[in-house]
Amino acid sequence: MNDEASSGEAPDGRSDSDSIEGVFTYNGGRVDPGESTNIRYSISETYLGDPVKIPVTVINGRHPGPTVFLSAAAHGDELNGIEVVREVAHDWDHSELYGTLICLPVMNVPGFLAQERYLPIYDRDLNRSFPGREGSTSARRMAHEIFTNFIEPCDLGIDFHTSTRGRTNMLHVRADMSDSIVSRLANAYSSNVIIAGDGASGTLRREATEAGIPTITVEMGEAHRFQRRLIDRALTGVASVLAEFGLHRDSSVHWPGWRTIIDDDDEKTWLRADAGGIVDMKQGRGALVEEDDVICTITNPFKEEDEVVTVDAPFTGLIVGVLENPVVYPGNPLCHLVGLSPDTRIALERERTAERSRADLRSS
């Protein structure tokens, strides 16, 4: 079913306040238990007065349970999460779903169409505009339509992102671990790394959490591409969450093998360039580095030896995010390094030794 929706009273004359138990309502329609609906929901207008519509899939299970949103592409060039949300919505079997899934694969439609991070309307950041406000900027009006119709009715949320252009992230969760439900959600997602913090003002996860909808951000990979291994890993995390909160009762919660929760500023740092030039990166995303290991060198176009700048690891840790674009100005970020406890490091080394052994067996 494809529902062309916009603001206004529901077709049957019901208002949102009249919603019945188990029915999901939004401004312009409803989805009954046991139904799935594809919606193109109008959140704004173009310069020509044509509607700007976001795609939304609502899957309302036959059985009662939590309402969970999955969102992606708040930044229009961040594509990995789009495929995660689409596969959950359209490839998974939800015949025995307990609760409701709200799938928002592309929130920033103007940015997606332009393949730009921000809204190409005065360069606004949609993910600094939540929960939005009527009568405000274009970005906040869009955020308000999304938030009031598809976020506020939910009990939990997962918002998917990638690194910005020119950088890449290993898959990790960002979450306000001081909130007990957010902490449960983050742990259920089964990522190896959780970076604690409440997030910047205006971000979807912070504003949703403060509104009583515990939400995490999942960061993975880089902009402008689908990265299949990361998408598959992210789907494992979604399945684990749906099992933990009882939406898919035949599934099980997934343990990632090891985990580190980074909740101290001394345990993480962005290493930044102190010189401009061309970067030769020696370490990749997810690398375990020892204190004083060389992470990269920066040289000028002539590769003059007396001008080489070497960047070393200030402590032993894991590279969560790393530069992909090999040119920098002074101050540009090079990598995101997080510390590991001795026990976590041992578990990580064991896992990687086992992975290498399996790879050797497959190649022999």
Side-chain angles (χ1 to χ4, degrees), residues 4 11 21-22 45 49 52 56-57 80-81 109 136 152 161 166 169 187 201 213 243 245 255 259 312-313 337 342 348:
E4 297 288 336
E21 186 69 25
E45 294 180 354
V52 174
V56 185
T57 298
N80 277 328
V109 166
S136 185
E152 281 187 339
H161 287 262
N169 285 327
N187 281 289
S201 177
I213 308 119
F245 288 92
W255 166 244
R259 172 177 290 134
D312 299 329
L337 183 67
L348 170 59

Side-chain angles (χ1 to χ4, degrees), residues 41-340:
Y41 189 84
S42 180
I43 62 170
S44 188
E45 294 180 354
T46 69
Y47 293 131
L48 297 175
D50 297 322
V52 174
K53 296 183 177 183
I54 64 167
V56 185
T57 298
V58 179
I59 305 160
N60 196 349
R62 293 188 295 112
H63 311 289
T67 299
V68 178
F69 77 83
L70 307 176
S71 59
H75 296 133
D77 59 356
E78 298 183 1
L79 307 185
N80 277 328
I82 295 174
E83 189 60 11
V84 174
V85 177
R86 290 201 316 159
E87 290 193 25
V88 172
H90 304 293
D91 295 347
W92 285 15
D93 180 5
H94 299 296
S95 57
E96 290 301 315
L97 179 68
Y98 286 76
T100 305
L101 289 175
I102 312 301
C103 299
L104 301 145
V106 183
M107 290 194 294
N108 183 351
V109 166
F112 175 74
L113 293 175
Q115 276 303 281
E116 296 179 2
R117 179 176 175 85
Y118 301 125
L119 288 161
I121 306 161
Y122 304 114
D123 225 22
R124 301 277 187 178
D125 188 345
L126 183 62
N127 202 38
R128 294 295 185 274
S129 303
F130 290 102
R133 190 168 70 245
E134 289 183 297
S136 185
T137 65
S138 54
R140 287 186 175 178
R141 291 180 188 215
M142 292 181 190
H144 172 77
E145 288 292 334
I146 295 168
F147 200 86
T148 55
N149 284 281
F150 301 110
I151 305 301
E152 281 187 339
C154 294
D155 301 299
L156 303 165
I158 306 174
D159 187 31
F160 292 94
H161 287 262
T162 76
S163 190
T164 191
R165 182 177 58 191
R167 301 203 296 268
T168 186
N169 285 327
M170 69 178 290
L171 188 146
H172 67 278
V173 164
R174 298 185 181 184
D176 181 0
M177 299 299 281
S178 66
D179 182 299
S180 61
I181 305 300
V182 173
S183 177
R184 180 184 170 198
L185 175 59
N187 281 289
Y189 192 80
S190 78
S191 68
N192 295 116
V193 176
I194 299 171
I195 297 179
D198 54 5
S201 177
T203 56
L204 179 54
R205 76 171 170 97
R206 174 169 174 166
E207 301 303 334
T209 298
E210 290 186 353
I213 308 119
T215 298
I216 61 172
T217 293
V218 176
E219 293 275 355
M220 54 171 175
E222 57 189 291
H224 291 295
R225 67 198 68 234
F226 281 167
Q227 295 167 289
R228 190 68 244 179
R229 289 184 65 185
L230 288 170
I231 290 167
D232 288 343
R233 180 66 188 82
L235 288 165
T236 297
V238 175
S240 183
V241 166
L242 298 188
E244 169 68 19
F245 288 92
L247 285 90
H248 279 182
R249 298 192 177 182
D250 292 336
S251 300
S252 56
V253 179
H254 181 262
W255 166 244
W258 61 272
R259 172 177 290 134
T260 184
I261 300 175
I262 308 300
D263 57 6
D264 187 326
D265 286 341
D266 293 336
E267 294 178 314
K268 62 181 183 289
T269 187
W270 276 100
L271 300 185
R272 295 183 177 273
D274 288 330
I278 300 169
V279 178
D280 182 6
M281 189 62 65
K282 308 295 185 182
Q283 308 289 346
R285 180 186 70 210
L288 177 64
V289 296
E290 304 282 345
E291 183 176 354
D292 296 328
D293 279 353
V294 176
I295 289 179
C296 67
T297 58
I298 304 171
T299 57
N300 65 28
F302 306 107
K303 283 196 167 183
E304 294 168 327
E305 291 188 9
D306 59 344
E307 296 292 330
V308 174
V309 175
T310 300
V311 180
D312 299 329
F315 53 83
T316 297
L318 184 70
I319 295 181
V320 172
V322 70
L323 181 75
E324 292 268 298
N325 185 342
V327 294
V328 292
Y329 278 110
N332 285 167
L334 297 167
C335 77
H336 190 189
L337 183 67
V338 302
L340 299 176

